[in-house]
Amino acid sequence: MSVQPGTASAPPARGPVPGRHTADDPRSVLARPLAATSLLDAVKDLRRDVAVTQFPLALDGTEAATASRDRLIDQLDEHLVPRLTELSAPAVVVVAGSTGAGKSTLVNSLVGAEVSSAGVLRPTTRRPVLVHHPLDAELLSHHPVLESVEVVADEHVPRGIALLDAPDLDSVLESNRESAHRLLEAADLWLFVTTAARYGDALPWRVLEGAVERGASIAMVLNRVPSDSLPTVRGDLLSRLRAHRLEGSPLFVVPDMGPHEGLLAPAAVAPIHRWLTMLAGPDRARTVIGRTLRGSLASLREWVEELAEAVQGQADAAAALGKAIDDALETPAQAAADAIRAGGVADGPVRARWAELSADGGPLHDVVSSSGKVRGSARTGRARALAVAPLSADLTRSTAAALADAGARTEVSLRAVLTSKDAPAGGASLAAAWPRDGAASRRTAAAELA
């Protein structure tokens, strides 16, 4: 077995985008002086701002931005906020990997007891298992990860660390995959388990790249390695680690034990156990926690910058769509106004009703005298008002129908503008979200005239 100590490094943070900062920009949280707010308060404020960030328009990169926002919320909820809230809590060591890598067997062997179900239960749905020393229970009691795991206290776990056996990253069950990725966000240290047969799979390396991006501390276990292929497999894996900026990460090799059930031989996992025991010491555990915490905090700026760029893209697209809609509305709106002013709404039933009311003997015949005064008594006026009510209703209905018709024609025009090949970015998604409900348009027009 071999060990190569070291740590993963975080990518350099990008600088702010000139001219894009506003009072509500989530990036401003990172620039607040510590005199005005604690680091925990700043991270909580950032979490609040990120949670309300939405990307309603379907633009290039919107899906990726939404996924990045959701992952950032998981990182804040599962790691940064609980870690900053309780810095003295044990380091959470998440044991992760692909199906059949031997994660549960490794955890059981490190503890020396069957604390996590292995083998035949995969890939059924089951709760992840977190194992800690009994005396660390209080320090872990408020960690949000406890809500989704089975907690086991075992005195064989060194004080200062907690082992979390996560579901398979490539499980056939989506719930398992989602749980595995979310629990990895809670990790102070990733103990990544792979095998001689599967260390080249693409998925684990994509996940590890994400860990490097956020500055997580990572160690790797190469499990079930046949002795005759050890030099080749180990050399190839070390090359892959260097290519993914993981050349300083500890690498442990567990030889192939052949068909067996139960725990691995103590000698097979002794180097990993010694390393974890050393890691659990107060100074070492704080070092791992601090290193991952610093890496996670350093990666926030780039993460938030990317989200802010996506938000700015939404704002720019919304402005372009607003202008396109205003331009498209100008001609039909003017046409509708001109038609109403020209008296088109007074045709048909309205004109017939008026002819009836103003005819000889009608209630509106000779209403106004030659001097301009309204003839008749108050009683006559009330009778005339009652007679005119149907005319007013006819005129309202005619106007509402004219407006609804103009609205329907305008809608056709607007949809064409939003979905044409020259439409502004996001136009198609806006058109798709626009309900087609002519009855609602008529009700709206009538309500506006009421």
Side-chain angles (χ1 to χ4, degrees):
M1 302 185 186
S2 60
V3 180
Q4 294 189 356
T7 59
S9 59
R14 298 189 311 183
V17 179
R20 292 287 176 86
H21 288 260
T22 67
D24 295 326
D25 192 331
R27 288 171 295 179
S28 62
V29 173
L30 300 179
R32 295 177 185 175
L34 288 180
T37 180
S38 71
L39 182 57
L40 176 58
D41 289 335
V43 170
K44 286 182 175 179
D45 287 347
L46 174 61
R47 195 267 181 219
R48 179 200 61 213
D49 293 340
V50 172
V52 298
T53 300
Q54 301 293 326
F55 306 102
L57 298 175
L59 309 176
D60 290 341
T62 293
E63 186 174 346
T66 301
S68 182
R69 177 205 59 196
D70 294 344
R71 186 180 168 220
L72 176 53
I73 291 174
D74 284 343
Q75 167 68 180
L76 293 168
D77 285 347
E78 303 298 335
H79 180 245
L80 282 172
V81 171
R83 176 50 68 195
L84 289 170
T85 300
E86 185 54 84
L87 286 169
S88 59
V92 177
V93 180
V94 174
V95 183
S98 302
T99 301
K103 300 182 297 297
S104 298
T105 299
L106 177 63
V107 170
N108 292 336
S109 301
L110 289 170
V111 177
E114 292 280 350
V115 293
S116 183
S117 300
V120 295
L121 290 182
R122 303 298 179 97
T124 56
T125 301
R126 69 180 186 88
R127 287 171 67 83
V129 177
L130 183 138
V131 194
H132 65 83
H133 194 281
L135 296 180
D136 282 336
E138 180 60 28
L139 290 173
L140 282 168
S141 61
H142 300 297
H143 200 296
V145 77
L146 267 61
E147 298 175 1
S148 56
V149 302
E150 179 183 344
V151 181
V152 178
D154 193 295
E155 61 183 9
H156 292 94
V157 178
R159 288 205 64 185
I161 65 169
L163 295 175
L164 201 167
D165 181 16
D168 302 328
L169 287 169
D170 57 352
S171 172
V172 295
L173 299 175
E174 183 178 1
S175 59
N176 280 353
R177 297 195 303 272
E178 292 177 350
S179 176
H181 285 277
R182 187 175 61 80
L183 291 174
L184 281 172
E185 300 297 347
D188 295 299
L189 170 68
W190 290 20
L191 190 59
F192 212 88
V193 185
T194 187
T195 66
R198 302 200 58 181
Y199 72 90
D201 291 355
L203 176 62
W205 292 106
R206 288 200 301 270
V207 175
L208 288 170
E209 285 175 356
V212 172
E213 288 174 2
R214 77 167 180 88
S217 296
I218 302 170
M220 181 165 284
V221 176
L222 182 59
N223 197 14
R224 302 188 190 128
V225 185
S227 57
D228 56 349
S229 63
L230 174 57
T232 301
V233 172
R234 182 178 178 277
D236 187 34
L237 181 55
L238 287 173
S239 297
R240 290 173 181 267
L241 289 172
R242 285 192 294 271
H244 289 82
R245 296 179 291 168
L246 289 165
E247 63 274 8
S249 298
L251 171 61
F252 301 93
V253 178
V254 178
D256 187 4
M257 309 297 292
H260 75 283
E261 295 182 0
L263 308 181
L264 298 171
V269 297
I272 307 174
H273 190 276
R274 285 196 299 269
W275 179 72
L276 289 172
T277 301
M278 178 186 68
L279 197 69
D283 293 338
R284 294 297 184 97
R286 300 284 76 74
T287 298
V288 170
I289 290 170
R291 184 166 57 234
T292 299
L293 188 56
R294 286 191 298 272
S296 297
L297 290 170
S299 68
L300 286 182
R301 180 174 292 278
E302 182 174 4
W303 214 332
V304 175
E305 291 282 354
E306 291 175 356
L307 290 181
E309 287 297 318
V311 170
Q312 187 64 48
Q314 293 277 319
D316 292 344
L321 285 170
K323 184 178 185 307
I325 290 172
D326 287 343
D327 292 345
L329 282 175
E330 186 173 348
T331 298
Q334 187 60 49
D338 291 344
I340 291 176
R341 292 192 189 98
V345 296
D347 291 335
V350 175
R351 191 175 297 280
R353 180 85 65 177
W354 173 256
E356 177 186 345
L357 294 174
S358 60
D360 288 345
L364 299 184
H365 181 66
D366 291 336
V367 170
V368 181
S369 66
S370 57
S371 62
K373 294 182 178 180
V374 178
R375 294 192 178 103
S377 62
R379 181 176 180 181
T380 305
R382 287 193 293 273
R384 288 170 178 167
L386 290 174
V388 168
L391 173 65
S392 178
D394 287 343
L395 185 60
T396 298
R397 283 192 293 270
S398 178
T399 304
L403 291 175
D405 183 63
R409 292 195 303 272
T410 303
E411 179 179 345
V412 172
S413 176
L414 284 177
R415 288 188 184 276
V417 169
L418 294 175
T419 57
S420 71
K421 62 182 181 63
D422 299 322
S429 60
L430 183 60
W434 186 356
R436 297 176 181 270
D437 190 349
S441 299
R442 290 189 293 274
R443 288 194 299 271
T444 299
E448 290 294 328
L449 294 172

